[in-house]
Amino acid sequence: MSELYKTELELALKAFIADHPGMLTREEAIGAVLENWFSTHGYLPTGQTGTRPEDLDATNDD
């Protein structure tokens, strides 16, 4: 990883922490970013409830 890329990531992380006052540490911020990315890309459950698309059929219609 280039030094420029590391610097840009650090600046982005500091901005993220500044925008989220409840986050006190760098580790908390990194965890939040990773959790969000993994959830939105299908690697972690999103916490949403409901019928999964593969379980939908005409009997689910209201």
Side-chain angles (χ1 to χ4, degrees), residues 37-60:
W37 190 91
F38 285 136
S39 293
T40 58
H41 288 83
Y43 295 101
L44 279 175
T46 61
Q48 294 178 346
T49 59
T51 305
R52 297 181 57 85
E54 62 269 17
D55 295 330
L56 292 173
D57 60 31
T59 62
N60 305 114

